[in-house]
């Protein structure tokens, strides 16, 4: 089998480009400013690698870690943190405790997948302290390329 291509051993993963990441970030910043939300916005590729970040005036430094953790959680779950919290964690106490104990997960409102052509190509995480703003800003950013 030396030299033969084995397509069953390789998979392709799609990632948003830096241009797309900037489009997402700009749309999210615009929405945050409309809401008057002092937040951190993190855009990642599909592997949770940071591609863009904005810390708006007044956002606390800890919000950087929170926004990144929300985006990372989206990459692992392949769904919004809102959806996961509302449909899964509120009904599964064991799962809630398991996730709450992980330092790398922050499954609270404000994380949203970025999809293109039905594929998750990245994520956006928003942290401001007001989860309804976080979710709104994240959805607005993701919609810029979806």
């Amino acid at each position: 089998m030396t030299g033969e291509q084995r397509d069953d051993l390789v998979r392709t993963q799609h990632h948003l480009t830096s241009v797309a990441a900037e489009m997402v970030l700009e749309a999210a910043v615009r929405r945050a400013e409309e809401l008057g939300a002092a937040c951190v916005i993190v855009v990642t590729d599909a592997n949770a690698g940071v591609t863009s970040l904005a810390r708006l005036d007044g956002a606390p430094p800890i919000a950087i870690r929170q926004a990144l953790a929300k985006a990372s959680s989206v990459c692992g779950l392949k769904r919004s943190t809102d959806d996961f919290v509302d449909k899964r964690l509120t009904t599964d106490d064991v799962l809630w405790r398991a996730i709450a104990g992980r330092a790398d997960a922050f499954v609270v409102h404000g994380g949203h997948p970025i999809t293109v052509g039905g594929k998750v190509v990245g994520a956006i995480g928003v942290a401001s302290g007001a989860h309804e703003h976080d979710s709104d800003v994240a959805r607005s950013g993701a919609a810029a390329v979806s």
Side-chain angles (χ1 to χ4, degrees):
M1 276 222 203
T2 306
E4 288 183 34
Q5 170 109 8
R6 292 279 315 264
D7 291 336
D8 61 326
L9 299 178
V10 179
R11 66 183 167 90
T12 302
Q13 186 171 25
H14 299 273
H15 297 275
L16 76 165
T17 64
S18 58
V19 170
E22 286 303 314
M23 292 169 59
V24 170
L25 186 65
E26 288 172 11
V29 167
R30 241 186 340 270
R31 184 62 182 144
E33 289 173 343
E34 289 170 3
L35 295 170
C39 59
V40 171
I41 303 162
V42 174
V43 179
T44 70
D45 63 18
N47 289 330
V50 176
T51 57
S52 298
L53 180 145
R55 179 176 167 222
L56 303 184
D57 292 340
I62 194 169
I64 295 169
R65 285 187 296 235
Q66 293 169 340
L68 176 57
K70 289 179 185 186
S72 295
S73 296
V74 168
C75 291
L77 298 169
K78 302 293 186 232
R79 64 193 330 184
S80 76
T81 55
D82 298 9
D83 183 56
F84 198 73
V85 167
D86 295 341
K87 293 182 179 165
R88 186 70 196 269
L89 288 186
T90 56
T91 60
D92 191 334
D93 188 51
V94 173
L95 181 61
W96 174 257
R97 284 181 287 174
I99 288 178
R102 293 186 51 100
D104 60 340
F106 197 57
V107 185
V108 295
H109 293 88
H112 203 77
I114 299 168
T115 59
V116 175
K119 295 181 185 339
V120 175
V121 297
I124 180 171
V126 179
S128 72
H131 72 80
E132 50 290 326
H133 287 159
D134 295 354
S135 297
D136 187 342
V137 171
R139 279 191 306 273
S140 295
V145 296
S146 296

